[in-house]
Amino acid sequence: MLRNKVCVVTGAGRGIGYEIARVFAQNGAMIALVDVRFPENFHFPYGEFRTYELDVANFDQAQDVFKNITDDFKKIDVLVNNAGITKDNLLMRMKKEEWDSVININLNGVFNVTRAALRSLLKSEAGSIINIASVVGLMGNAGQANYSASKAGVIGMTRTLAKEVSSRNLRVNAVAPGFIKTDMTDKLNEKQKEAIISQVPMSRLGNPEEVANICLFLASPMSSYVTGQVIAVDGGMTMY
Ligand code: NAP
């Protein structure tokens, strides 16, 4: 489905990003895996790829790294803005550093990377940007004011950029995962997990592959008339 497409995935070292890169590679894509750091024993046995170290919060570094990616691959067709962190606390107790770091990585990072990749993406015959948001950007979540604000910001940026570039056949969509089994949710204790599952009509957490499959749809010609949308992958947690 993605044969000869060059796809860039941020936060691709593990979790959902790794799974998106794997599913794209297994569907024929050439992949630029971007992460703040890769472990020495990093393993990606799924096809043509290169790794690039980038802290998405660093605007200047993003411009340099994307120059290297376009020099190496000659083009970019698909960008997945997936890198993200949580630093949870009730707003009453939230430290400025907790607010700033989440906004800098989750929201400013999407701007920095998209800005760096946009010229190349606009040259693609059928480009696609996929921003990984979250259901909490739609619903809010106690203890996650920083995170939900960053993800709501990503959704606003997605819709705005879709209006700016869709006439050039570059589509921009967001995916809003619910609670997905990764290191990010492993931090939750059993009681917190049970409370979450009780809110999910499908009564379970999701798997990274279930998010990656929606990204594959949004990256491929299967979704050629879909832009400016937010697709929840959440076992029915949000229904509008
Ligand atoms: P994860 O397992 O913590 O993986 C996040 C990846 O992003 C890691 O490889 C991490 O690198 C990388 N990263 C962190 N800061 C970075 C930076 N400044 N620059 C570049 N890369 C950076 O998280 P995940 O659960 O896969 O989440 C992926 C995305 O899905 C995030 O945007 C998250 O908000 C979103 N999401 C997740 C869930 C969920 O339930 N898991 C739900 C909704 C939305 P290190 O390994 O060095 O830390």
Side-chain angles (χ1 to χ4, degrees):
M1 248 195 274
L2 297 178
R3 191 177 299 274
N4 297 326
K5 299 283 183 200
V6 174
C7 303
V8 185
V9 183
T10 69
R14 61 191 168 100
I16 294 172
Y18 185 94
E19 205 50 23
I20 294 168
R22 179 187 70 76
V23 168
F24 282 15
Q26 289 188 327
N27 278 272
M30 293 168 276
I31 312 282
L33 297 121
V34 174
D35 209 300
V36 65
R37 69 190 80 82
F38 288 92
E40 249 174 53
N41 58 353
F42 182 75
H43 196 50
F44 189 77
Y46 305 110
E48 196 180 332
F49 78 98
R50 280 173 186 254
T51 58
Y52 300 85
E53 289 200 343
L54 164 66
D55 175 355
V56 296
N58 184 327
F59 181 86
D60 292 335
Q61 196 189 11
Q63 316 311 304
D64 293 344
V65 167
F66 274 78
K67 187 177 178 319
N68 293 341
I69 294 173
T70 38
D71 284 349
D72 292 342
F73 286 97
K74 309 299 174 213
K75 62 169 187 164
I76 300 174
D77 298 297
V78 176
L79 168 65
V80 185
N81 281 306
N82 165 80
I85 62 163
T86 52
K87 287 210 172 164
D88 298 353
N89 217 337
L90 293 174
L91 191 94
M92 182 73 104
R93 295 195 199 119
M94 190 171 286
K95 296 181 187 71
K96 183 169 166 18
E97 186 279 325
E98 290 169 333
W99 174 269
D100 286 344
S101 57
V102 170
I103 298 294
N104 279 337
I105 293 173
N106 296 11
L107 180 57
N108 296 347
V110 175
F111 168 73
N112 296 339
V113 166
T114 305
R115 182 71 175 73
L118 200 53
R119 261 178 228 286
S120 303
L121 282 160
L122 283 165
K123 289 186 196 146
S124 171
E125 277 170 20
S128 175
I129 299 175
I130 301 158
N131 294 327
I132 306 299
S134 167
V135 290
V136 309
L138 299 167
M139 303 162 63
N141 194 22
Q144 293 196 307
N146 49 1
Y147 184 76
S148 54
S150 73
K151 295 301 188 179
V154 165
I155 289 170
M157 208 194 308
T158 301
R159 292 181 172 140
T160 296
L161 188 60
K163 290 189 174 178
E164 290 181 5
V165 299
S166 295
S167 64
R168 310 263 308 262
N169 213 24
L170 171 58
R171 299 177 297 106
V172 189
N173 292 287
V175 172
F179 287 89
I180 309 298
K181 249 183 270 166
T182 67
D183 296 342
M184 192 178 266
T185 45
D186 278 352
K187 286 189 251 173
L188 302 168
N189 62 39
E190 281 313 308
K191 209 171 153 205
Q192 287 171 313
K193 280 189 197 161
E194 271 168 36
I196 288 163
I197 288 170
S198 71
Q199 295 172 50
V200 181
M202 290 187 75
S203 301
R204 66 171 176 87
L205 299 184
N207 296 311
E209 189 179 5
E210 293 175 310
V211 179
N213 286 337
I214 294 299
C215 295
L216 175 63
F217 166 71
L218 289 173
S220 80
M222 296 270 289
S223 59
S224 53
Y225 200 50
V226 178
T227 193
Q229 301 305 306
V230 182
I231 302 186
V233 182
D234 65 353
M237 228 177 136
T238 53
M239 296 192 194
Y240 291 97

